[in-house]
Amino acid sequence: MYTSAPTDANAQEKRKAWTVPMLADAKRDGRRLVMLTAYDAGFARTMDAAGIDVVLVGDSLGMVVQGHNSTLPVATADIVYHTACVARGLSKALLVADLPFQSDATPERALDAATALLQAGAAMVKIEGAGHKLDVIRFLVEREIPVCAHLGLTPQSVLRLGGYKLQGRDDVTANKLRGDARAVAQAGAALLVLECVPTGLAGAITADLAIPTIGIGAGPHCDGQVLVLHDLLGVNSGHRRPKFVKDFLAQGGSVEGAFRAYADDVRSGAFPDASHSYD
Ligand code: KIV
């Protein structure tokens, strides 16, 4: 049984509830952010008890909960429902919810969807991509909706990308990614997820930006890490397991222990190592 972190209720009580400005404080203080996806209240409550900092209701739910082979079929109503479930389980972690495919196609559509997600309990919405999404990010941030950007492998672009592949491998695409990262930060994003990006490039982007970066398959130099719940627990969701995924259940000995083991390894820098990253 994994017991390195305090388990008593007092320790849990003493932790402050996360707010959006605290994300930038963490980067400034050099504290790594620990993020996980959740889709229901029970897992959310267990993550909160284990000291997970940020919980994401990802549109990955289309693949790991609904059984689709991409995130494209996910509707805003699905994310709203799961966000409300997860919100009931959290008292400390910051709750982020995805804007699903095409719900952010225009600023006005995004405002409607993001408002519903904040009213369901999210503190921030996540938007994939840059380009025309920069206007969407600006529009939401000007209307008091905190935004997390998502660059690199953006799963909603799977048809254009031709699969779930490492991004930014050559100079042209790496420079484009660096420019997009600066642009989403300038547009007002307060957090940036980098998915499936070579370690050196993710490190350079992280050093470039004042906002924290959260890596998934982006190496150890990001300001934090995120994993999909099912991947961390080794649940077979019917999809190929990418190289960056690690099953923490054996190490942790229980679901809460797995969350604590993951959090400890992210905070100490032990995860991800080279075997869970791309050169
Ligand atoms: O949908 C999701 O779960 C995500 C994470 C993989 C970052 O976007």
Side-chain angles (χ1 to χ4, degrees):
M1 177 65 153
Y2 193 84
T3 54
S4 76
T7 53
D8 60 294
N10 288 344
Q12 161 74 354
E13 282 305 303
K14 278 182 199 143
R15 276 193 293 124
K16 276 170 82 176
W18 276 89
T19 62
V20 172
M22 286 164 68
L23 298 171
D25 297 345
K27 175 155 183 155
R28 215 180 29 246
D29 300 346
R31 281 178 285 124
R32 289 198 181 89
L33 294 162
V34 182
M35 182 166 170
L36 270 178
T37 70
Y39 314 96
D40 68 33
F43 279 110
R45 191 170 298 110
T46 311
M47 287 178 195
D48 220 44
I52 301 302
D53 304 319
V54 185
V55 171
L56 169 68
V57 179
D59 60 357
S60 52
L61 72 85
M63 298 174 78
V64 300
V65 176
Q66 297 173 331
H68 296 296
N69 63 9
S70 79
T71 60
L72 305 192
V74 177
T76 301
D78 298 331
I79 305 278
V80 170
Y81 171 80
H82 287 280
T83 297
C85 296
V86 168
R88 288 182 207 113
L90 297 182
S91 62
K92 305 287 187 205
L94 189 84
L95 179 51
V96 182
D98 261 344
L99 285 180
F101 188 53
Q102 303 305 0
S103 69
D104 55 2
T106 66
E108 291 75 16
R109 287 182 65 163
L111 179 61
D112 286 347
T115 302
L117 293 172
L118 263 56
Q119 288 174 342
M124 179 179 253
V125 298
K126 180 161 75 59
I127 296 180
E128 293 188 10
H132 78 97
K133 301 288 181 73
L134 297 174
D135 287 339
V136 177
I137 295 171
R138 245 179 255 113
F139 191 81
L140 295 186
V141 171
E142 281 166 0
R143 285 158 183 78
E144 309 298 353
I145 297 180
V147 171
C148 170
H150 182 159
L151 297 174
L153 170 55
T154 46
Q156 292 172 19
S157 317
V158 63
L159 299 178
R160 175 176 59 80
L161 297 176
Y164 301 101
K165 300 172 185 166
L166 185 66
Q167 303 297 306
R169 303 180 78 157
D170 55 60
D171 286 352
V172 173
T173 54
N175 286 335
K176 163 99 171 65
L177 204 49
R178 286 185 74 151
D180 284 350
R182 286 193 201 116
V184 295
Q186 269 162 17
L191 194 62
L192 169 60
V193 168
L194 289 172
E195 180 165 353
C196 274
V197 173
T199 294
L201 176 58
I205 290 172
T206 299
D208 234 22
L209 301 183
I211 63 168
T213 61
I214 304 285
I216 174 164
H221 306 309
C222 295
D223 299 305
Q225 298 292 326
V226 60
L227 280 181
V228 169
L229 166 66
H230 293 59
D231 292 339
L232 176 137
L233 295 178
V235 175
N236 179 357
S237 46
H239 306 288
R240 185 182 60 82
R241 287 169 62 79
K243 172 186 181 178
F244 57 79
V245 159
K246 183 174 172 193
D247 175 353
F248 280 90
L249 193 56
Q251 186 178 333
S254 69
V255 170
E256 187 174 327
F259 296 159
R260 289 184 186 280
Y262 166 66
D264 280 0
D265 281 5
V266 170
R267 290 187 181 119
S268 72
F271 178 81
D273 60 13
S275 70
H276 296 100
S277 307
Y278 302 97
D279 295 331

